[in-house]
Amino acid sequence: EIKTPFNSNNIISKIILKNKDLDLNENQLQNISIINKCGKDLQNLINDILDLSKLDMKKIEINKQLLDLKEFS
């Protein structure tokens, strides 16, 4: 599965960001934060592409209905 390496990257970078041993400096933490954010963004993009391919193959359907946005405010 294509998502597995990204899951691992996101989990490991999240653990490193906790910096439990306090051995990372601010620049290193910022770089790990960028890696974590980019990994999440890429994983979301892959999920969107997989959803679109499922729509294309008619494995999922879109439920069309009117929605009153005032209910959410």
Side-chain angles (χ1 to χ4, degrees), residues 17-33:
L17 275 173
K18 290 182 181 178
N19 197 21
K20 285 188 175 185
D21 296 332
L22 302 174
D23 57 352
L24 298 176
N25 64 41
E26 191 63 35
N27 189 43
Q28 291 169 322
L29 288 171
Q30 187 175 22
N31 290 338
I32 295 293
S33 179

Side-chain angles (χ1 to χ4, degrees), residues 4-6 9 11 18-19 31 37-38 40 46-47 49 52 57 60 62 68 71:
T4 302
F6 296 108
N9 177 64
I11 291 168
K18 290 182 181 178
N19 197 21
N31 290 338
K37 183 185 180 319
C38 290
K40 288 178 182 178
I46 289 169
N47 287 337
I49 291 169
L52 287 173
M57 296 183 328
I60 59 175
I62 295 176
D68 184 7
E71 294 177 17

